[in-house]
Amino acid sequence: LNPLFQAMESEVSAAFDSGEAEDILSKAFKLTVTREDICTLQPLGWLNDSIMNFYMGLLVERSKKQGYPAVYAFSTFFYSKLSSTSHKGVKKWTKGVDIFEHDIILVPIHLRAHWTLLVVDLREKTIKYFDSLGLKGDHICKTVLKYLEEESRERRNIELTASEWTLHSMGTEEIPQQNNGSDCGVFVCKFADFISRDKPIIFTSEHMPYFRRKMVWEIIHQQLL
């Protein structure tokens, strides 16, 4: 891995330091990532929607490979629209897609000045909320469960039984916590990375500087290491 790591470091430094802010460094999933976007992955940078949505796209793409759970990821704009308009306001977001054919649904959420993640596991009938500051999101879980009920009724003509579902905000003893005011976006991406592989979440805040640089390489190459 050493030669790869050295090559990665060289590319990451070039991505941060060379060229113009508007230079396009990656393009996929109907999304464009510029150098300005990539620079949000610098130490203590605040990840923007472009980086978050592109990384979710990489996770979905990886999930198409054999041996991975089938993953669907909503845009970072989904929850704010849902919470302000209900199911009717986001009905068209899943046009041509049956989200219930997937194993895991990822919902990255932007709460003013903080990124969090909601995960629906359709296999286990669970909705879990992941917050690297330890805040509870029970109301968010309930909002998404109501959305799933309405989506199932409208798309499949199938009634979900709410009592069969488990809703849970992950506690500070269950998931790692950030130790600064800027790493929440990276935490969300790595929560999603581990969950979409059915792997236990074993990283800590100490891994964040490495994860940031690794994500730069992955986004530029459109390939997860």
Side-chain angles (χ1 to χ4, degrees):
L1 285 175
N2 194 41
L4 175 60
F5 182 76
Q6 290 176 345
M8 183 178 82
E9 283 296 296
S10 176
E11 282 193 66
V12 170
S13 296
F16 287 154
D17 301 330
S18 306
E20 303 298 324
E22 64 271 16
D23 290 344
I24 295 174
L25 300 188
S26 199
K27 203 171 184 178
F29 322 121
K30 299 180 180 179
L31 299 170
T32 298
V33 175
T34 66
R35 191 179 308 280
E36 184 176 20
D37 298 324
I38 284 290
C39 283
T40 67
L41 282 161
Q42 288 179 313
L44 302 181
W46 179 270
L47 271 59
N48 64 12
D49 293 284
S50 296
I51 293 296
M52 300 293 287
N53 287 321
F54 202 96
Y55 194 79
M56 294 298 150
L58 290 176
L59 297 179
V60 169
E61 195 64 27
R62 182 180 64 187
S63 79
K64 297 174 184 177
K65 297 179 181 178
Q66 189 172 359
Y68 288 93
V71 175
Y72 183 84
F74 278 108
S75 159
T76 54
F77 305 106
F78 170 78
Y79 181 76
S80 59
K81 184 71 172 178
L82 171 66
S83 60
S84 62
T85 65
S86 77
H87 179 267
K88 186 181 295 184
V90 294
K91 187 166 62 173
K92 294 180 180 178
W93 291 48
T94 52
K95 186 177 181 181
V97 178
D98 184 354
I99 60 174
F100 297 97
E101 290 181 349
H102 299 79
D103 299 315
I104 294 170
I105 300 172
L106 303 173
V107 188
I109 298 171
H110 191 207
L111 298 173
R112 296 182 185 173
H114 186 48
W115 288 108
T116 65
L117 179 70
L118 183 138
V119 178
V120 179
D121 191 323
L122 291 159
R123 303 164 298 182
E124 303 291 334
K125 293 186 178 179
T126 61
I127 299 177
K128 294 181 179 180
Y129 184 72
F130 294 76
D131 189 323
S132 55
L133 286 179
L135 303 175
K136 299 297 183 184
D138 297 348
H139 65 291
I140 296 175
C141 293
K142 290 175 183 176
T143 298
V144 172
L145 177 57
K146 185 177 180 182
Y147 164 80
L148 292 174
E149 290 179 272
E150 294 173 335
E151 180 77 359
S152 180
R153 188 180 302 122
E154 183 141 332
R155 298 289 184 197
R156 308 186 301 167
N157 199 28
I158 296 174
E159 293 289 334
L160 291 188
T161 305
S163 60
E164 295 178 352
W165 285 75
T166 300
L167 280 55
H168 178 60
S169 291
M170 302 295 282
T172 55
E173 73 287 351
E174 295 177 281
I175 56 173
Q177 300 290 290
Q178 65 190 87
N179 60 4
N180 59 33
S182 56
D183 276 342
C184 54
V186 185
F187 269 87
V188 164
C189 289
K190 300 318 291 184
F191 286 149
D193 174 22
F194 280 65
I195 291 164
S196 63
R197 292 183 283 140
D198 280 336
K199 298 295 184 183
I201 296 171
I202 55 173
F203 61 83
T204 70
S205 60
E206 294 177 359
H207 292 93
M208 293 300 116
Y210 169 68
F211 283 157
R212 283 177 176 271
R213 299 183 77 82
K214 180 167 171 274
M215 285 173 65
V216 172
W217 191 95
E218 291 172 327
I219 289 169
I220 291 174
H221 287 268
Q222 300 174 22
Q223 176 186 344
L224 293 174
L225 290 172

